[in-house]
């Protein structure tokens, strides 16, 4: 189980370490600034999505508002394996692709360390 803050920090650390370095300079600036500005809005998105009655019923969150990252990551990974990689096209930056392996790596950032054992 993790907190909302751990989840948001892990997502931002993942993006900063695994996504942004592979972008052209304009993408680094644009996506970097967007993530900084979006941090407060991301909290509302997480609140709306993960702390809903449906999320509680699915076992994603508990009564104390902790997030079951194992259940969530497993469901996302199975979806990625079944339906293929997620591609997202961003004007000027290009197309970002995410696979089942990215779910594992993202989870490792969220829970506090990288897959290779290095801390973030």
């Amino acid at each position: 189980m993790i907190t909302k803050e751990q989840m948001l920090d892990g997502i931002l650390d993942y993006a900063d370490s695994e996504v942004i370095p592979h972008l052209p300079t304009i993408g680094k600036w644009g996506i970097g600034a967007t993530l900084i500005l979006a941090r407060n809005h991301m909290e509302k998105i997480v609140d709306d999505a993960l702390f809903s009655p449906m999320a509680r019923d699915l076992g994603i969150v508990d009564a104390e508002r902790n997030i079951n990252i194992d259940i969530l990551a497993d469901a996302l990974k199975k979806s990625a394996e079944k339906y293929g990689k997620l591609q997202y096209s961003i004007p000027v930056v290009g197309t970002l692709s995410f696979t089942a392996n990215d779910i594992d790596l993202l989870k490792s950032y969220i829970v506090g360390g990288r897959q290779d054992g290095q801390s973030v």
Side-chain angles (χ1 to χ4, degrees), residues 57-111:
D57 292 346
L58 292 173
I60 297 170
V61 295
D62 65 14
E64 289 79 36
R65 296 174 58 92
N66 294 306
I67 301 163
N68 188 328
I69 190 64
D70 295 322
I71 287 175
L72 184 57
D74 186 56
L76 289 169
K77 186 173 178 180
K78 285 178 181 175
S79 184
E81 289 167 346
K82 182 174 182 177
Y83 300 112
K85 65 183 170 185
L86 169 68
Q87 292 187 305
Y88 188 74
S89 181
I90 302 173
V92 181
V93 173
T95 301
L96 303 179
S97 297
F98 300 94
T99 67
N101 291 336
D102 291 309
I103 300 298
D104 290 333
L105 185 56
L106 174 58
K107 180 183 172 188
S108 74
Y109 275 88
I110 291 171
V111 297

Side-chain angles (χ1 to χ4, degrees), residues 31-53:
I31 300 299
T34 299
L35 289 172
I36 291 166
L37 294 170
R39 176 63 158 88
N40 292 333
H41 297 288
M42 286 171 58
E43 289 189 29
K44 178 161 178 23
I45 293 167
V46 169
D47 284 346
D48 290 348
L50 290 180
F51 300 127
S52 67

